[in-house]
Amino acid sequence: MENDYRDNTLRAADEVLQNQDRQNTPRGYLGMSGMYECTRQVWYGFRMVKRVGFDAATLKRFASGHADEDVFASRLKKVAGIDLITSDPSTGRQIGHQDIKGHFRGHQDGQIRGLRDDPHNWYVWEHKSVNPNSFRKFGRDIDKWGEENALREWNLTYFNQAQLYMYYSGIERHYLTATTPGCRDDMKCITFYQEDVAKALVEKAEEVIFSTERPTPISTAPEKSFACKFCNYKEYCMDQEFVTRNCRTCVHSEPSADGDALWNCNFHNKKLNIHDQLRGCSDQRFLPSLVPHAVTFADDTGPTLRIKYQTQDGGEWIDAG
């Protein structure tokens, strides 16, 4: 934005928006909408290595996208013969899926039947509100790759999300509608279920959830890779910063396998909800794979664990709380 024509009132409104976002409790599960190409990026997010906040402009885009979804759903429901379900009839809530002891979850926009070109089959329905440049690229990808392959080429994360929702819903067709902000322009894309892709994504999710080691990154040179340019965690791949101290970055805790989506603290022998996990405690010790130094010694004979590391300059750093 070249010129800022806002006054202090509008700036204050932005500050309120950002402060509210910072106070929101992050979801404690791995989301099906966040299955990015880079497994390490997904793992960093699940391990909550830092609190990722958003600026006011991004939060406004999110709000606009949610509003556009409602607008477009309303339009579709008015078409004769269309049956669009946007909530679970038994609960009144958004249609949801969960797996891997509740640690892997997703919420699809809906399910649709009655399309003019295929009136009898059900489709998973997802709506994306995107900027005009992305919208135009979507059209070019449909032209270049064909409709059935376009979603993967346009946005791999959206494609992964589609495959997972088809896998868990048992519906083998996906109907994605995309619009520019305000739903002024629209287009659609039909994608079909690929069982091998969906099962590989579930395996990837399980790896992310239970692994204590950093997965292989998408690039070994994050400072040069375009794929890493906008990643929130590239400084950790470059070993430039320490991650946040909390239970998810701690060697003592692990995801619970009891089906309740909680975490276990093996040091204090207790269950941890999301608030406990974020709060952490003085006995937290970093997972060694998250520390940019080499482990030289670990001592658990005392009341608390002490882990010694050798730094790159030959010095010593001790993780003792």
Side-chain angles (χ1 to χ4, degrees):
M1 182 171 186
E2 186 175 346
N3 296 306
D4 188 351
Y5 297 110
R6 301 172 302 162
D7 62 7
N8 289 330
T9 300
L10 297 182
R11 295 189 186 97
D14 282 355
E15 290 177 5
V16 170
L17 192 63
Q18 292 174 169
N19 289 335
Q20 287 178 334
D21 179 61
R22 294 189 190 102
Q23 293 169 11
N24 288 336
T25 302
R27 62 190 185 189
Y29 56 85
L30 175 60
M32 296 179 189
S33 61
M35 293 298 287
Y36 310 117
E37 182 178 5
C38 180
T39 306
R40 181 177 287 189
Q41 180 185 6
V42 180
W43 186 80
Y44 276 146
F46 182 69
R47 283 283 167 173
M48 296 184 181
V49 299
K50 76 172 181 180
R51 179 76 165 95
V52 178
F54 300 101
D55 59 20
T58 301
L59 294 169
K60 291 173 186 176
R61 287 196 295 272
F62 290 162
S64 176
H66 291 312
D68 285 350
E69 178 188 324
D70 293 339
V71 168
F72 209 76
S74 177
R75 287 183 188 174
L76 290 172
K77 288 178 178 180
K78 292 175 182 177
V79 176
I82 288 290
D83 188 3
L84 176 59
I85 300 172
T86 53
S87 61
D88 186 333
S90 64
T91 64
R93 299 177 181 176
Q94 193 174 10
I95 299 169
H97 311 289
Q98 62 174 289
D99 196 4
I100 313 177
K101 308 302 182 182
H103 294 291
F104 189 42
R105 303 185 186 188
H107 300 85
Q108 67 185 62
D109 293 341
Q111 297 174 182
I112 191 169
R113 182 175 62 178
L115 301 178
R116 293 297 173 86
D117 297 325
D118 183 10
H120 303 297
N121 286 307
W122 280 102
Y123 290 71
V124 172
W125 176 66
E126 283 292 309
H127 182 78
K128 304 298 181 185
S129 178
V130 299
N131 65 54
N133 287 336
S134 181
F135 185 82
R136 287 190 291 269
K137 182 181 183 301
F138 188 29
R140 292 194 300 270
D141 285 337
I142 293 174
D143 291 339
K144 180 177 180 180
W145 302 102
E147 187 174 349
E148 293 183 19
N149 302 308
L151 185 57
R152 180 197 289 268
E153 300 299 328
W154 181 52
N155 190 303
L156 183 60
T157 304
Y158 293 167
F159 173 80
N160 289 342
Q161 182 183 22
Q163 292 298 328
L164 287 166
Y165 288 169
M166 286 189 279
Y167 174 81
Y168 285 107
S169 68
I171 297 173
E172 298 189 351
R173 296 167 175 82
H174 185 272
Y175 187 72
L176 182 136
T177 51
T179 62
T180 54
C183 299
R184 296 183 180 185
D185 304 292
D186 55 62
M187 72 176 79
K188 62 83 179 176
C189 175
I190 290 175
T191 306
F192 292 97
Y193 177 58
Q194 298 179 31
E195 184 177 21
D196 57 334
V197 173
K199 288 185 175 180
L201 287 168
V202 175
E203 291 175 2
K204 175 176 176 175
E206 191 160 14
E207 173 193 349
V208 165
I209 290 165
F210 293 110
S211 177
T212 58
E213 298 294 326
R214 293 193 300 181
T216 302
I218 195 173
S219 171
T220 56
E223 71 281 5
K224 299 179 181 178
S225 170
F226 180 80
C228 302
K229 182 176 182 181
F230 301 104
C231 178
N232 290 310
Y233 310 107
K234 59 180 177 292
E235 65 269 28
Y236 304 122
C237 280
M238 298 166 65
D239 291 334
Q240 293 179 341
E241 290 188 23
F242 271 89
V243 301
T244 302
R245 281 194 183 274
N246 60 52
C247 292
R248 292 212 177 183
T249 60
C250 179
V251 72
H252 296 307
S253 70
E254 61 184 0
S256 170
D258 296 337
D260 50 17
L262 300 178
W263 280 55
N264 298 325
C265 174
N266 297 319
F267 187 83
H268 294 287
N269 193 28
K270 61 183 290 189
K271 296 287 187 183
L272 304 168
N273 62 32
I274 187 62
H275 301 287
D276 296 328
Q277 295 164 37
L278 293 171
R279 190 182 307 116
C281 75
S282 60
D283 295 310
Q284 194 271 6
R285 300 294 181 269
F286 286 121
L287 286 168
S289 66
L290 288 171
V291 177
H293 307 314
V295 176
T296 58
F297 182 74
D299 180 10
D300 61 356
T301 58
T304 61
L305 175 66
R306 291 167 56 88
I307 306 177
K308 293 184 180 181
Y309 295 86
Q310 183 177 10
T311 61
Q312 293 181 357
D313 60 5
E316 184 178 78
W317 180 77
I318 300 176
D319 186 8

